[in-house]
Amino acid sequence: QPMEQKRIREKADFLGWFTYLCDQWYHVDILHPGQICDGGLDGYSLLVLPYDPYYVFDPCPSMEQHIKAWVARGATLVHGAGCPVVRGILDPGAGYHACDSIVDKYIMLPLAYGFETFKNGHTVIRYKDGSPAAVGNSLGRGAVLSIGFNPGLAYINPSQRVDVEGNGMKELYRIK
C-alpha cells in the first residue's frame, strides 16, 4: 500500500503496532499473504493483524485458512477493530460500540476507526460502560485476542501517549 501523506490515516494502526512491538523488544517481521500461504508463519508464536481497510477488495481465503490452522496448532492471533481477515478465522461476535474509555488499572480513551464490542469470548478488558472492549477466544490449542479499538492507532498518536513508567505500568496495552 502506498505511503502517501493523504493515506497515512490508513497506515497509522499498522505503524503504531510496529512501533509498540519494537518498543517492547519484540523482533518484528512483516509477512506478505503469499508468504503466509507458503508456510511463512512456521516458527512464529504471535501474529498481529492491524487495521486494513483494503483487504475486503482483495481477500485471500487461503491465507485465512493457513492462519486458522496455525493458531489451532498453538499460536496467538491479535487483532483490533475492523479486521476483516478475522471473519474467515473466528467469529468473536463483533458489533458496533460507541466511543468509550476503557478501564484497566487506569482509565484510558483508546482510538479507533470504529469501536466494537463482542458477544463471544472471555472478557479481558471492559469499556467504562461495562461491555467487553477485548475478548479472548480459544481456537484449538491457540488463542485469538480480539480488541474493540485500534491499539496501534492509539499508541502512535501523540495526544494519546501516557507516561507509562510514571504510572507504574510496563506497557500501555498488555497483549499477553
Side-chain angles (χ1 to χ4, degrees):
Q1 298 174 5
M3 282 302 295
E4 306 160 11
Q5 187 61 33
K6 65 183 179 181
R7 297 255 185 212
I8 198 73
R9 185 177 96 73
E10 286 89 353
K11 309 292 182 281
D13 192 51
F14 166 79
L15 294 172
W17 271 114
F18 185 86
T19 303
Y20 171 75
L21 293 168
C22 288
D23 286 352
Q24 298 303 311
W25 294 95
Y26 281 87
H27 176 82
V28 179
D29 289 321
I30 300 168
L31 299 177
H32 183 274
Q35 292 173 292
I36 292 173
C37 291
D38 290 339
L41 289 174
D42 295 345
Y44 292 95
S45 60
L46 174 67
L47 174 65
V48 175
L49 293 175
Y51 173 77
D52 181 1
Y54 303 108
Y55 183 79
V56 295
F57 300 111
D58 190 20
C60 184
S62 176
M63 178 189 71
E64 294 169 12
Q65 292 309 307
H66 278 84
I67 293 171
K68 184 175 185 175
W70 173 78
V71 171
R73 289 192 304 269
T76 300
L77 169 64
V78 178
H79 71 92
C83 182
V85 177
V86 175
R87 293 181 193 130
I89 299 169
L90 175 93
D91 179 17
Y96 170 79
H97 191 278
C99 178
D100 197 355
S101 57
I102 60 172
V103 179
D104 182 42
K105 189 171 181 181
Y106 299 96
I107 295 176
M108 295 179 242
L109 179 62
L111 295 176
Y113 297 111
F115 287 85
E116 295 176 339
T117 189
F118 306 96
K119 296 177 185 170
N120 306 326
H122 169 75
T123 300
V124 178
I125 300 172
R126 294 188 181 278
Y127 287 113
K128 191 175 177 185
D129 72 2
S131 60
V135 296
N137 281 284
S138 296
L139 180 62
R141 293 188 320 238
V144 177
L145 177 61
S146 303
I147 304 171
F149 54 95
N150 300 107
L153 176 65
Y155 191 79
I156 203 166
N157 188 316
S159 69
Q160 295 295 101
R161 298 304 292 256
V162 297
D163 181 7
V164 174
E165 292 180 5
N167 285 321
M169 302 182 314
K170 292 183 179 178
E171 52 194 89
L172 183 57
Y173 299 114
R174 291 176 285 130
I175 61 170
K176 291 186 193 179

